[in-house]
């Protein structure tokens, strides 16, 4: 990997750091304490990722357009919930997603309420490789805190304006909650329902308390609730003190460790709008992105152009013919013959689990995975996108000096209620590419900001 600057970011501003490396590290570690980041163990960044204003805004506009198509693809796949589950190859009883509400209007209205796609900047620009659609994705608090750090570091100790701008995820999500309360005529009270275990933060709830503080400063009644405080902590069964909630947990993680979901079911049954709805997980199923890539009957030319520009070629893995570069070929044969061109992904998964990059695996493992995927029909294949490197300033191993390292970031623009909510980034400090996740793979985190004209 070279240190050249990608064309997509050539007009980013030159940053002038006024503080020494040691002071930047002190600020980073203080602001990000108890939030599960790796600032204490790896070479830390000394600056944010910075995009041109056009490139920054393009991330959000493309994300919003693709999210709308994902929502329509799911809703039009069948007229009923059971039919939609069946179209995705899931059990009609929905046991994989145990927290559906009986209110179908609620399920459909809020299924796309919160999203964080993952984007690789390739030679032709941004490629959206998957969508995380839920309330439990990582990034909002980290981006909020990192943006605060960079504003302090690059505003010359508070003596000037920082040379960049970024949407605040926590402010954007708070504004969304306000709109929900106002539109539904509900009290401005929000419960964050989760567990420190979700972010490997068993000893502290600071990660969630930061967001509670943002909500309270906007005049909202807000509190964080762990499972053992439900449903009584919300005032139930006598009353519902929090009519709106954030579903800040993954049901699969809770059930895997034996946590009962009955308290959450009680909260839903009380009428609490626990956002986003369980149907959000259907939009996150990677098969839906593959449907869009292949094309659906209702898609307009504008829809197809949007997908063609921003989504790498993707298909559900099964015994079939597939269009590939202008002709139809046998899909299994294509995958086996072109291993280095593709990535295999389970349709349901998170944190980089169940992802296999062809060029980074052995032929035997690739063939075995293709065979399993064909048998189960629960995976997609996607064209591999090579990341164009970004030269990021980081501290060296001694933590006393700065050095620039060409890294391959995954960018994640966030949407709340369809509106921009900041951009998160993960990358390997070594500069290597691969499955990028802060859980298991050990990636570093950062914020993505845009230059502001002086």
């Amino acid at each position: 990997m070279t240190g050249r600057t990608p064309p997509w970011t050539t007009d980013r501003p030159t940053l002038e750091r006024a503080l020494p490396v040691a002071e930047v590290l002190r600020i980073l570690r203080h602001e990000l304490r108890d939030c599960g980041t790796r600032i204490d163990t790896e070479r830390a960044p000394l600056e944010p990722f910075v995009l041109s204003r056009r490139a920054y805004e393009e991330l959000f506009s493309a994300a919003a357009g693709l999210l709308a198509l994902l929502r329509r693809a799911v809703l039009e796949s069948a007229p009923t919930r059971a039919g939609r589950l069946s179209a995705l190859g899931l059990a009609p009883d929905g046991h994989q997603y145990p927290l559906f509400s009986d209110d179908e209007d609620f399920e459909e209205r809020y299924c796309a309420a919160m999203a964080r796609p993952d984007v690789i900047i390739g030679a032709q620009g941004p490629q959206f490789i998957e969508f995380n659609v839920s309330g439990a994705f990582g990034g909002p608090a980290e981006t909020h805190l990192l943006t605060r750090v960079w504003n302090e570091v690059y505003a010359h100790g508070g003596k000037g304006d920082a040379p960049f701008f970024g949407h605040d995820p926590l402010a954007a999500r708070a504004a969304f909650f306000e709109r929900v309360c106002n539109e539904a005529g509900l009290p401005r009270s929000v419960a964050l329902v989760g567990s420190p275990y979700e972010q490997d933060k068993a000893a502290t709830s600071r990660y969630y308390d930061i967001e509670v503080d943002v909500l309270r400063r906007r005049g909202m009644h807000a509190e964080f609730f762990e499972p053992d405080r439900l449903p009584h902590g919300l005032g139930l069964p006598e009353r519902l003190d929090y009519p709106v909630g954030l579903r800040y947990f993954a049901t699969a993680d809770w059930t895997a460790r034996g946590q009962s979901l009955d308290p959450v079911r009680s909260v839903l049954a009380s009428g609490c709008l626990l956002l986003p709805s369980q149907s959000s997980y259907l939009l996150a199923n990677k098969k839906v992105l593959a449907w869009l890539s292949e094309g659906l009957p209702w898609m307009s030319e504008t829809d197809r152009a949007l997908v063609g520009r921003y989504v790498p070629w993707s298909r559900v893995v099964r015994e079939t013919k597939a269009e590939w570069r202008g002709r139809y070929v046998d899909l299994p044969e294509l995958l086996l013959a072109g291993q280095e061109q593709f990535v295999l992904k389970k349709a349901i998964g998170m944190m980089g689990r169940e992802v296999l990059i062809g060029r980074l695996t052995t032929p035997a493992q690739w063939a075995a995975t293709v065979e399993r995927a064909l048998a189960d029909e629960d995976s997609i294949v996607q064209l591999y996108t090579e990341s164009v490197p970004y030269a990021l300033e980081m501290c060296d191993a001694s933590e006393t000096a700065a050095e620039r390292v060409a890294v391959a970031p995954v960018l994640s623009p966030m949407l709340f209620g369809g509106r921009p909510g900041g951009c998160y980034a993960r990358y390997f400090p070594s500069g290597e590419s691969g499955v990028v996740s802060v859980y298991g793979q050990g990636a570093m985190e950062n914020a993505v900001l845009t230059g502001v004209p002086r």
Side-chain angles (χ1 to χ4, degrees), residues 373-422:
L374 288 167
D376 297 341
E377 294 192 5
D378 64 351
S379 299
I380 72 162
V381 59
Q382 194 169 78
L383 183 66
Y384 176 79
T385 300
E386 180 70 28
S387 178
V388 177
Y390 184 110
L392 182 72
E393 186 178 65
M394 295 186 283
C395 68
D396 65 6
S398 71
E399 298 191 351
T400 59
E403 61 180 354
R404 288 204 173 271
V405 178
V407 298
V410 173
L411 310 185
S412 295
M414 292 171 276
L415 299 171
F416 300 103
R419 301 181 184 181

Side-chain angles (χ1 to χ4, degrees), residues 45 72 82 310 421 427 454:
R72 184 174 178 184
Y310 291 112
Y427 63 98
R454 291 183 181 276

Side-chain angles (χ1 to χ4, degrees), residues 134-185:
S134 77
F137 55 73
E142 295 91 336
T143 303
H144 169 84
L145 293 172
L146 283 159
T147 300
R148 192 158 72 188
V149 168
W150 303 133
N151 276 313
E152 180 175 352
V153 169
Y154 286 94
H156 301 278
K159 298 177 182 177
D161 294 328
F164 38 67
F165 161 81
H167 297 288
D168 182 352
L170 300 190
R173 184 147 61 187
F176 167 67
F177 283 134
E178 287 179 329
R179 293 197 301 273
V180 171
C181 292
N182 292 338
E183 290 169 4

Side-chain angles (χ1 to χ4, degrees), residues 144-453:
H144 169 84
L145 293 172
L146 283 159
T147 300
R148 192 158 72 188
V149 168
W150 303 133
N151 276 313
E152 180 175 352
V153 169
Y154 286 94
H156 301 278
K159 298 177 182 177
D161 294 328
F164 38 67
F165 161 81
H167 297 288
D168 182 352
L170 300 190
R173 184 147 61 187
F176 167 67
F177 283 134
E178 287 179 329
R179 293 197 301 273
V180 171
C181 292
N182 292 338
E183 290 169 4
L186 297 171
R188 291 156 50 87
S189 298
V190 179
L192 274 61
V193 178
S195 168
Y197 291 99
E198 299 299 322
Q199 302 288 341
D200 290 336
K201 304 169 184 66
T204 175
S205 63
R206 181 173 182 264
Y207 185 88
Y208 306 92
D209 295 338
I210 291 165
E211 186 156 7
V212 168
D213 182 61
V214 170
L215 289 163
R216 288 176 177 174
R217 283 190 278 111
R218 293 178 72 102
M220 305 184 78
H221 183 46
E223 191 167 350
F224 170 62
F225 294 92
E226 294 190 52
D228 59 2
R229 297 185 61 199
L230 300 177
H232 55 276
L234 276 63
L236 298 170
E238 291 81 10
R239 63 190 185 279
L240 179 59
D241 293 335
Y242 297 86
V244 174
L246 173 60
R247 188 193 295 256
Y248 220 149
F249 61 91
T251 54
D253 285 346
W254 274 16
T255 54
R257 65 170 184 260
Q259 175 65 54
S260 172
L261 295 174
D262 288 342
V264 182
R265 291 191 180 96
S266 297
V267 170
L268 285 168
S270 74
C272 178
L273 300 181
L274 197 58
L275 302 170
S277 65
Q278 180 74 92
S279 294
S280 62
Y281 283 80
L282 303 186
L283 278 64
N285 190 300
K286 297 176 184 65
K287 286 184 179 181
V288 186
L289 200 63
W291 293 351
L292 295 179
S293 177
E294 185 170 6
L296 294 166
W298 51 262
M299 291 174 65
S300 67
E301 288 303 313
T302 299
D303 296 336
R304 293 173 189 272
L306 179 70
V307 173
R309 179 175 180 181
Y310 291 112
V311 178
W313 182 94
S314 307
R315 294 292 186 271
V316 177
V317 178
R318 58 180 182 267
E319 295 282 357
T320 188
K321 296 282 188 180
E323 185 278 327
W324 171 250
R325 295 180 175 172
R327 62 190 184 94
Y328 279 86
V329 300
D330 183 82
L331 183 58
E333 291 181 4
L334 175 65
L335 301 190
L336 292 173
Q339 172 181 338
E340 292 199 353
Q341 300 180 78
F342 300 117
V343 179
L344 286 170
K345 301 179 178 183
K346 290 289 287 292
I348 299 175
M350 59 183 183
M351 300 180 186
R353 300 166 183 163
E354 306 290 347
V355 175
L356 193 67
I357 298 175
R359 64 183 59 195
L360 300 180
T361 191
T362 65
Q365 184 183 9
W366 179 261
T369 305
V370 169
E371 183 178 2
R372 184 206 58 76
L374 288 167
D376 297 341
E377 294 192 5
D378 64 351
S379 299
I380 72 162
V381 59
Q382 194 169 78
L383 183 66
Y384 176 79
T385 300
E386 180 70 28
S387 178
V388 177
Y390 184 110
L392 182 72
E393 186 178 65
M394 295 186 283
C395 68
D396 65 6
S398 71
E399 298 191 351
T400 59
E403 61 180 354
R404 288 204 173 271
V405 178
V407 298
V410 173
L411 310 185
S412 295
M414 292 171 276
L415 299 171
F416 300 103
R419 301 181 184 181
C423 191
Y424 178 53
R426 286 148 297 148
Y427 63 98
F428 292 119
S430 63
E432 64 186 297
S433 300
V435 180
V436 179
S437 172
V438 295
Y439 303 104
Q441 285 78 32
M444 182 70 78
E445 299 160 282
N446 207 339
V448 182
L449 305 173
T450 179
V452 175

